[in-house]
Amino acid sequence: MSSQRHSARVGDDVLLDAAHKCVLLVGVRRTTLTDVAREAGVSRMTLYRRFPDVRSLVAALMTREFGALLGEVGPGETARQRLVSGAVGTVRRLLANPLMAAVLDRDAELLLPYVVERLGATQRIAEQFLRVELAAGHEDGSVRAGDLDVQARTLLLMVQSFVLSVRPAVAGLAPDAVFDELATMLEGALRP
């Protein structure tokens, strides 16, 4: 255990890094604020002042971790090609992420509100990336005309389903073939 750190000097990244380690070790449900404070080398009160409960801490952690994996455009000559390769690449990165794997393996029900009740911060980051790339595709003519907000939300829902479901769904299939099919579907949906 680290020595206690002065609360004014401890950044959120230290706390989120500690939460990350705890979640990977025992899962979200078994992680406590006491465990995270101990791992971060801070008092529980320091942690409580920033994050009142494990849920808010984990939400901030997921936004930081998954948000960093979003928004990389892929290779391609047109905005559509860059959007499609970027979206498929993002799905691959998310599925390879240890935190995502830990949440899907141990605590998948925590993601349910973001599927059936509301969009979270990470989904909004992804949707903004899609909106920007769709607008570029409208401008260069590589993406069919349509309502930008509707197209972005629809693509978000489609790609999100792959992140949440592809691990069990590819059993018995070649994963690369499934990702190739996702790219083909996205290309077809966006082509003018």
Side-chain angles (χ1 to χ4, degrees), residues 12-190:
D12 282 353
D13 280 338
V14 170
L15 303 175
L16 296 175
D17 288 345
H20 185 267
K21 189 171 184 178
C22 291
V23 169
L24 290 182
L25 188 62
V26 299
V28 174
R29 281 178 291 187
R30 292 183 54 208
T31 294
T32 66
L33 288 180
T34 301
D35 295 335
V36 174
R38 186 180 311 113
E39 181 64 38
V42 300
S43 72
R44 286 188 319 218
M45 286 312 298
T46 296
L47 186 58
Y48 284 119
R49 276 193 286 274
R50 307 260 185 95
F51 301 99
D53 53 35
V54 172
R55 182 171 293 249
S56 63
L57 177 63
V58 170
L61 173 62
M62 288 178 12
T63 298
R64 181 189 77 168
E65 294 292 311
F66 304 151
L69 299 175
L70 301 174
E72 289 184 29
V73 293
E77 294 178 17
T78 67
R80 183 186 74 245
Q81 291 168 337
R82 290 187 297 273
L83 188 155
V84 169
S85 60
V88 173
T90 296
V91 171
R92 285 178 180 271
R93 284 188 299 279
L94 283 167
L95 291 170
N97 180 275
L99 180 63
M100 178 61 82
V103 170
L104 290 173
D105 288 343
R106 295 185 183 140
D107 302 295
E109 72 280 356
L110 296 175
L111 298 174
L112 191 59
Y114 304 109
V115 176
V116 300
E117 293 175 12
R118 67 185 178 280
L119 293 181
T122 304
Q123 290 161 305
R124 298 230 180 256
I125 292 167
E127 187 175 53
Q128 181 57 32
F129 162 76
L130 293 170
R131 188 178 289 111
V132 167
E133 295 307 311
L134 286 165
H138 289 171
E139 191 168 306
D140 76 6
S142 64
V143 172
R144 66 178 169 74
D147 182 299
L148 196 56
D149 292 331
V150 172
Q151 286 179 322
R153 181 68 50 87
T154 303
L155 283 176
L156 172 69
L157 295 172
M158 186 171 161
V159 171
Q160 171 180 283
S161 71
F162 271 76
V163 172
L164 299 177
S165 304
V166 81
R167 289 172 66 209
V170 297
L173 301 173
D176 285 341
V178 173
F179 289 117
D180 290 346
E181 186 63 25
L182 172 60
T184 299
M185 289 174 61
L186 291 173
E187 278 279 344
L190 297 172

